[in-house]
Amino acid sequence: MGFFDFLRGPDINQGVREFRETPGALLLDVRTPQEYDAGHIPGSQNVPLQILDTSGTMTAPKDTPVFAYCYSGSRSWQAVRMLTRMGYSRAKNIGGITAYTGETER
């Protein structure tokens, strides 16, 4: 681990592997519906950041592991902060889809 490794964002590819290995986990794409429709990670659910804290949007139990991603990692950081305020104790930002090397679907 180098001195400046803290400057790098999360590794979305590792995050997706971790999501797939975690029973009962949710993979949230917090981009807009238009961005989601243009291509998303298989198994993800689209819950745009703008409505994430809207009553009834998140119905999973508060101890559910939640892995959030967006385009670059910025909105997913905001989403994790929001989820934490909502009581989700296992929310994790996995970064931006621009760095994702796996298959996507439309």
Side-chain angles (χ1 to χ4, degrees):
M1 185 159 170
F3 182 72
F4 291 103
D5 284 350
F6 70 92
L7 294 174
R8 284 192 305 217
D11 180 347
I12 190 168
N13 297 294
Q14 175 60 37
V16 170
R17 281 190 295 277
E18 190 176 335
F19 156 72
R20 290 185 177 140
E21 295 169 356
T22 306
L26 293 177
L27 180 61
L28 290 187
D29 183 324
V30 297
R31 299 176 298 155
T32 66
Q34 295 81 9
E35 290 173 301
Y36 183 80
D37 290 343
H40 56 271
I41 299 171
S44 65
Q45 298 176 19
N46 184 221
V47 181
L49 180 65
Q50 297 82 353
I51 65 165
L52 184 60
D53 62 353
T54 303
S55 178
T57 302
M58 289 292 295
T59 58
K62 302 294 185 184
D63 64 345
T64 301
V66 180
F67 296 82
Y69 75 92
C70 62
Y71 181 76
S72 67
S74 179
R75 284 177 281 180
S76 51
W77 274 120
Q78 293 175 50
V80 167
R81 286 194 305 268
M82 193 178 296
L83 287 163
T84 301
R85 283 194 308 269
M86 293 165 62
Y88 287 88
S89 58
R90 298 176 68 192
K92 181 176 183 176
N93 174 23
I94 62 169
I97 196 169
T98 57
Y100 181 62
T101 58
E103 300 276 329
T104 59
E105 63 184 17
R106 291 179 176 216

